[in-house]
Amino acid sequence: MHQRDLVRNFLQLVKETIANPVIGEGWVLVPRPENVGCIQKLGFNYRDTKNTILDLSVADYCDGPCHDRDQPGEL
């Protein structure tokens, strides 16, 4: 499988997870100081952040996915 296909599949999984949350599973915006600081600097809120992720495409890819250091799963 080509890198582009891997990225497309990963984005599809992320978008499905965000769009169809299951209690106790799914997407969590961890309130680390660097996350909160970046979101505030951009003038975003939780909904803006979620919508920005949902709007990502393969053309936006630069690196990853990588393993989450605090929870099971990938970033």
Side-chain angles (χ1 to χ4, degrees):
M1 189 176 286
H2 290 65
Q3 185 71 14
R4 188 172 185 86
D5 294 329
L6 292 172
V7 171
R8 184 179 294 109
N9 292 344
F10 180 78
L11 277 175
Q12 182 178 353
L13 176 62
V14 168
K15 289 177 180 187
E16 288 172 3
T17 301
I18 291 172
N20 302 301
V22 176
I23 295 174
E25 297 180 18
W27 182 67
V28 176
L29 181 59
V30 179
R32 292 186 190 109
E34 60 268 27
N35 294 349
V36 173
C38 178
I39 290 166
Q40 288 175 342
K41 191 180 275 188
L42 292 169
F44 280 17
N45 59 34
Y46 178 86
R47 183 180 300 137
D48 296 328
T49 304
K50 178 180 171 181
N51 289 338
T52 298
I53 294 170
L54 291 172
D55 286 341
L56 290 174
S57 72
V58 174
D60 297 308
Y61 171 76
C62 66
D63 191 25
C66 57
H67 294 289
D68 190 324
R69 67 177 186 216
D70 297 325
Q71 298 182 30
E74 294 179 313
L75 303 171

